Amino acid sequence: MPVIQNLAEEYGRALLFFDSKAYSDAALILAPIVEAEPGHGAARLLLARSYYHSAQLRRAEEELRRVVDADPVDGYARLMLGRTLERQGGRAEEAATQLRLAEALGQSLV
């Protein structure tokens, strides 16, 4: 039971770092959480967002694809994936597909 409590505490700590815009630090805390609990969708999405905001776009893409594979109707994850692909450049068609799916799933693109 202590491991789960520690993971919950670490997740809370990662949220604090993310909220204070220390995205790289948040990612460093979140990566082992996601490794220990690969099915923890919220942690994986926060890790992807941390990577995105710290311009680690390939890592963000990898995590977002895992989120979308686990939950294909997650409109926010599709929106983030589309934005991540846009920022990588030269991937406009892939990005547009994800953004259309996000919009179809009710996620506002604004």
Side-chain angles (χ1 to χ4, degrees), residues 22-72:
Y23 303 117
S24 292
D25 293 328
L28 290 173
I29 297 166
L30 288 161
I33 295 171
V34 169
E35 186 176 322
E37 293 289 331
H40 192 303
R44 188 174 298 279
L45 185 58
L46 189 60
L47 175 59
R49 292 176 64 204
S50 298
Y51 285 149
Y52 175 85
H53 288 296
S54 61
Q56 299 178 63
L57 301 177
R58 291 302 242 177
R59 288 179 173 177
E61 178 186 352
E62 289 170 10
E63 295 304 328
L64 288 163
R65 289 196 186 279
R66 288 182 182 112
V67 171
V68 167
D69 286 347
D71 186 3

